[in-house]
Amino acid sequence: MERVIIRGVGSYVPECILSNADLEGMVDTTGEWIVTRTGIESRRICLDTEMASDLGCEAARRALENANISVCDVDLIVVATVTPDMRFPATACIVQEKLGGTDIPCFDVNAVCSGFIYALDVARNFLLNNSKMKNVLVIGTEKMSSIVDWEDRSTCVLFGDGAGAVVLSRDTDENSDAGILDVLIGADGNLWRLLRCPIQSPGGNVGNISEEGYFIKMEGREVFKEAIKRMCSVAEDVLQRNNLTIDDVACVIPHQANMRIISAIADRLKIPKEKMFVNLQHTGNTSAASIPIAIDEALQNGKIQPDDLVLTIAFGGGMTWGAALIHWK
Ligand code: UT7
């Protein structure tokens, strides 16, 4: 049976650190409130001139190097982002140019914080259904600082910028079972209003919400409850349909939005703390970049080992959710 493996991983965050102490000087908040309510201590922020394509390109370079291939070997680039450089072209095309590639199909996916899992599913299906494709670059990249309302204390303390990338390849090793075992994605469009960022449009916005500005708006408590509910159920569903239990999983990589959400999921699914990977202390919520950045850090910290079963779980605006089960190569 054809198997698709993650052959290389890379990530990149901008140099500039925005600490909770810095935010105390910007809005009516305290470092203590931010840490106790979210677990976040600092986040990385782009320079004005640094775009999502720059972060994504650097993460991709590192993933290609890790996979020991060059951009010439890439058959498709999929970028997950809600902060594209432009309305069009796709950020994936701009990344292709920055990587020095030519003639590679490119497109973006928007599933907000679940974007990476959606893109992973799309990329995996391309590989499984098109025998001419060998390697696909999947990138999650976000410049969330460009859509944050820096006067809204209820959201501006949450987000950060960064990018993560993976190279997916078809594996031909007959002695291995490694690969992406399954990906499950879902969405409830009836809940889109809970987390949104309108775009400027001469015709006005759906729901007449254009007057609220063109920044992130979130009904925090509702999103919080929905995030726990959906991430628990998608994790349970993907395990169940593969006849696995949480005891089979060596490492869980949840979307890095809030430490209290991650702890609630760990409690409900009875996941021991040491299996739950957390890096939001120094990244904040990087939306579609959150999971690939966390995968890269987990690998570097030795939290993911060859042959491990890894479960990633995402949730975001839409509302969208997703989970991937990966038998690590
Ligand atoms: O990535 C997509 C998914 N996103 C998420 O998962 C985020 C989900 N939501 C959350 O993480 C949490 O709802 C927040 C961290 C956003 C907020 O935490 P909360 O415990 O739900 O707080 P709250 O919104 O209920 O606000 C509690 C109080 C309010 O004051 P009053 O009404 O009790 O007087 C807020 O005005 O905290 C106040 N508050 C703040 N105080 C200091 C809100 N933001 C701040 C702040 N500093 N930054």
Side-chain angles (χ1 to χ4, degrees):
M1 198 189 133
E2 293 278 10
R3 286 174 298 103
V4 171
I5 55 161
I6 294 184
R7 180 168 167 182
V9 181
S11 67
Y12 175 77
V13 290
E15 302 244 311
C16 178
I17 298 173
L18 184 70
S19 68
N20 290 350
D22 296 328
L23 282 160
E24 285 180 0
M26 295 162 64
V27 284
D28 181 15
T29 191
T30 62
E32 203 245 328
W33 190 97
I34 303 171
V35 169
T36 52
R37 298 285 178 136
T38 72
I40 300 165
E41 291 162 22
S42 67
R43 67 290 290 145
R44 299 299 182 106
I45 301 291
C46 286
L47 303 170
D48 283 348
T49 51
E50 224 168 357
M51 306 303 280
S53 65
D54 295 308
L55 310 182
C57 175
E58 192 48 45
R61 270 201 195 108
R62 294 175 185 194
L64 289 171
E65 196 182 319
N66 185 242
N68 208 14
I69 63 169
S70 88
V71 68
C72 310
D73 305 310
V74 173
D75 302 300
L76 172 70
I77 302 175
V78 186
V79 168
T81 188
V82 290
T83 50
D85 292 13
M86 301 184 195
R87 194 196 285 259
F88 71 82
T91 300
C93 293
I94 304 172
V95 169
Q96 186 203 127
E97 184 199 42
K98 287 181 177 167
L99 286 172
T102 45
D103 197 8
I104 306 167
C106 286
F107 60 90
D108 289 359
V109 166
N110 176 346
V112 202
C113 303
S114 311
F116 180 76
I117 301 294
Y118 270 65
L120 197 73
D121 199 19
V122 168
R124 171 175 170 261
N125 279 305
F126 263 98
L127 280 166
L128 291 176
N129 293 307
N130 183 341
S131 58
K132 290 201 181 86
M133 284 194 178
K134 288 195 173 65
N135 304 301
V136 179
L137 197 46
V138 183
I139 303 166
T141 184
E142 300 284 17
K143 183 176 176 176
M144 297 305 283
S145 57
S146 66
I147 56 168
V148 158
D149 179 352
W150 290 105
E151 292 180 359
D152 176 7
R153 69 176 183 171
S154 68
T155 52
C156 75
V157 301
L158 305 175
F159 296 96
D161 300 337
V166 299
V167 174
L168 296 192
S169 304
R170 208 176 301 106
D171 193 27
T172 48
D173 181 353
E174 284 175 8
N175 301 314
S176 170
D177 292 327
I180 300 174
L181 304 183
D182 199 6
V183 186
L184 186 51
I185 55 173
D188 184 353
N190 297 295
L191 302 178
W192 70 261
R193 290 168 184 80
L194 297 181
L195 178 50
R196 57 188 189 267
C197 181
I199 49 171
Q200 205 153 8
S201 147
N205 285 103
V206 57
N208 286 326
I209 54 172
S210 57
E211 62 275 12
E212 73 186 19
Y214 305 107
F215 299 111
I216 297 173
K217 293 279 177 220
M218 179 166 67
E219 315 303 329
R221 281 183 208 184
E222 293 309 309
V223 173
F224 187 95
K225 283 187 264 175
E226 202 63 30
I228 296 168
K229 185 175 107 184
R230 297 297 187 178
M231 282 203 274
C232 284
S233 61
V234 75
E236 283 173 331
D237 290 350
V238 80
L239 285 168
Q240 199 182 21
R241 77 179 194 180
N242 288 277
N243 297 318
L244 293 163
T245 73
I246 203 70
D247 297 336
D248 298 309
V249 175
C251 180
V252 180
I253 311 263
H255 170 48
Q256 307 287 315
N258 186 320
M259 191 58 218
R260 286 156 55 220
I261 294 176
I262 294 176
S263 300
I265 294 169
D267 285 349
R268 282 200 200 173
L269 298 184
K270 300 194 172 35
I271 304 170
K273 267 209 172 88
E274 61 278 9
K275 284 190 182 180
M276 204 77 170
F277 187 77
V278 180
N279 68 342
L280 56 73
Q281 315 84 286
H282 53 260
T283 60
N285 180 348
T286 57
S287 184
S290 134
I291 287 180
I293 294 175
I295 291 176
D296 195 28
E297 252 189 79
L299 282 165
Q300 283 172 28
N301 298 348
K303 302 280 185 193
I304 298 176
Q305 295 292 331
D307 235 20
D308 273 354
L309 184 64
V310 177
L311 170 66
T312 64
I313 331 168
F315 177 80
M319 311 302 309
T320 56
W321 53 87
L325 264 178
I326 305 157
H327 178 174
W328 208 265
K329 175 87 174 165

